[in-house]
Each structure stands twice: as C-alpha cells, then as structure tokens.
Amino acid sequence: MSYQRALLLPGLAALSIAAASACGSADSAATDSDAAEYTGGAPGGEGATGAGDIGAVVSVGAGGSDGLSGGGGATAVEEDVNIPAPGGPPDPYTRFAHLCGEGCTPGGNPSECSSSEGGSGTGMSPAQMLHCQLALVDGDAMPSCQPVGRFDRGGPCHRGTDCTIGLGCAAADGEGGVCRQYCCGNVESCAPGTYCDERPMAESILEGGAPVSIPVCVPAVNCELLNDSVCPAGQTCTIVREDGTTSCVAPGAGRAGESCPCAPGFVCSMLTNQCKQLCRIDGSARDCGSGAKCQGGSGAYPPGFGVCVSTL
C-alpha cells in the first residue's frame, strides 16, 4: 500500500462517520416535523389538524418543526392535492346519454362510420352503407358501426340492422319491434309530436334476456294535465317537451324542489332539473295552497296551466 493511499483511507472513514451522524440528526428532525404536521403543532394550539383533515395541502421539503422551512433546508414546495369537487347536476337535455355507451353516437353524424376504403365494389360510400347502431353485446347495448337497414321510422324490425340511418329497433307491445329515432344526444332533437324516452331494445326481448333500455323518440299522447284518468294504470300525464307537449309517462318520486323524475302532479324543469308543482290558472281550484300562486303564460305550458310560485 502506498503512503498516499494509507492517508486517504482514514480520511474517508472520518467522512463516513460524519455523514451518518448528520443523517441521524435529519431523520430525528423529520420525525418531529411530521408529528407536528399531523397534530397541528404544539398541544393546545388553534387550528389543530386531525388525521381526517390531512391531505388538503402537503408540504414537501426539509427542515424546521413547522414543516415549511428550516435552517439550511430547501424551500418547501406546497402541492395542492385537494380532490376536485364533482360536477354540477346532470344535464337534463342529455339525460339518456348514459344508455348509449361510449364510441360512435347512435343517431349522430353518419360520417363517424365512414372509411377511406370505399364501398366494397357497390359504388356506395361507407357513410351510406354503415351507421352507428346500438347492438346487444353480453347483455348491454353497445354502439358500433352496422349496416344500414331498409325500414324507415315506424317500420317493423327485429333488430337495429333492420332500420335505416339514425333509427334503432325498440320493442313493440306485441311481437317484434318498431324502428324509432335515437335520442342519445339532446332530447329535444325528436321530431314534433314525439318525445325522448326509454324503451326496451327489441333484440333483448327476442333473445329472452333481461330487457335492455335504449333512448328513442316515441309518439306523444297529448293528454290533459292533472287528469291521469286518460293514462294507462301506473302512468301520469305531464309535460314532455319544451313546447308544452304532454304525454303519459311512468312517474318518478320527485316533488317541489327535488330532483327529476317527478311524482304525479309535478313537472321537471329543464333549466334546473328540479320538479315544480303543476296547477290550473283559472282560479277554480287552489292547487298551490296558501303562500303561493299559479303562474302560467309561457309556451312551455299548455293553455290554462302553469306552475306554483311563492308569493312570500
């Protein structure tokens, strides 16, 4: 061993001992700092943070007992790890979108199912030959590009591929189904005289499985509000379109100020997705009770009807 190397080894040993001592001190300081962070600092201090409150702000750094800075330590970096608040109430205009799965949009733009490869010798573009349909896959309605059928709205069908562009096959009261316009997007996209509602997928009924609901435009009954005698048992007459169109529907449980769908005698506000109480504005009946009045005059309500508003 050379003389210079013999001198170097003792020096390294000394440095190792010093480093270990420093690390031990830092670990002890970090432990003290962590304890202060979880307990809110000294006992009896205001604003103490309990274990359930940890996570709003995490301080990352070294040094002092406040968890932010210390002698010779790096400046702390504060990272906001608050979990974002959930979004607002669901959009009532797209309240059936969840029934349409993810992928192409049934009833949407046919170009979603187009291709640059041509029409396989038929002289037709893929956009004309394929459209987005809901198909039954493992007991669920899944969107996919399917061949365009030949039956138009109101025509007979057994599955979606029997229907033309933009239409799905909804189960009919009897055997088979009827081609209906999809309303996976805006519920107000339905043709006049119809409204968007859930109907069983014809395929799910024909195959003997559990009914699978799909959103389609169905004919409106144009019933009289607050008179359920014209509706089938278990249904109620309510407003189903922004233009005041009425129909018989299965009621919900929502009452005034509660979330839609609404109980009999109430209507869903498309602006707030909350229920409002229906009433007659001719004064012959006090539907709203004391402290409220019946307010109509809007195209959203049939003539002679409105909703109860507070007079207090």
Side-chain angles (χ1 to χ4, degrees):
M1 178 184 298
S2 68
Y3 175 74
Q4 290 180 336
R5 187 174 181 184
L7 290 177
L8 180 60
L9 289 176
L12 290 174
L15 288 173
S16 299
I17 294 171
S21 176
C23 289
S25 299
D27 288 344
S28 176
T31 301
D32 293 342
S33 177
D34 289 343
E37 181 73 17
Y38 277 87
T39 59
E46 293 185 6
T49 304
D53 297 325
I54 297 299
V57 176
V58 174
S59 300
V60 181
S65 60
D66 59 0
L68 297 177
S69 62
T75 302
V77 178
E78 294 188 358
E79 295 183 359
D80 187 356
V81 294
N82 280 326
I83 298 175
D91 182 359
Y93 287 96
T94 58
R95 61 183 179 272
F96 295 119
H98 67 283
L99 298 175
C100 300
E102 296 184 1
C104 62
T105 304
N109 192 333
S111 65
E112 288 184 292
C113 292
S114 65
S115 169
S116 60
E117 297 180 358
S120 302
T122 63
M124 299 176 67
S125 70
Q128 292 173 302
M129 296 188 63
L130 300 175
H131 70 138
C132 188
Q133 274 276 357
L134 287 175
L136 191 64
V137 179
D138 296 330
D140 288 319
M142 302 296 292
S144 62
C145 294
Q146 300 288 335
V148 174
R150 64 190 182 95
F151 291 106
D152 208 341
R153 188 179 307 166
C157 59
H158 291 286
R159 56 191 69 249
T161 50
D162 294 329
C163 303
T164 192
I165 292 178
L167 307 183
C169 187
D173 292 336
E175 185 178 351
V178 179
C179 293
R180 303 280 191 205
Q181 178 187 346
Y182 283 120
C183 49
C184 291
N186 193 318
V187 296
E188 288 294 322
S189 65
C190 291
T194 66
Y195 68 100
C196 188
D197 201 6
E198 299 179 31
R199 288 294 185 271
M201 191 179 195
E203 290 175 65
S204 65
I205 302 298
L206 293 174
E207 294 186 9
V212 176
S213 293
I214 58 175
V216 290
C217 301
V218 297
V221 174
N222 291 325
C223 51
E224 181 185 356
L225 295 176
L226 301 177
N227 179 16
D228 290 346
S229 63
V230 298
C231 294
Q235 295 191 358
T236 185
C237 182
T238 192
I239 300 171
V240 292
R241 295 289 300 267
E242 284 187 330
D243 61 1
T245 299
T246 61
S247 193
C248 297
V249 302
R255 301 182 69 83
E258 298 176 348
S259 297
C260 307
C262 306
F266 296 82
V267 64
C268 182
S269 169
M270 297 294 281
L271 295 177
T272 63
N273 198 40
Q274 294 180 337
C275 299
K276 295 181 179 295
Q277 184 177 353
L278 288 165
C279 55
R280 302 173 182 84
I281 60 176
D282 58 7
S284 61
R286 294 191 170 275
D287 300 314
C288 301
S290 60
K293 67 176 182 179
C294 188
Q295 181 172 294
S298 168
Y301 308 112
F305 293 90
V307 291
C308 297
V309 296
S310 174
T311 57
L312 301 178

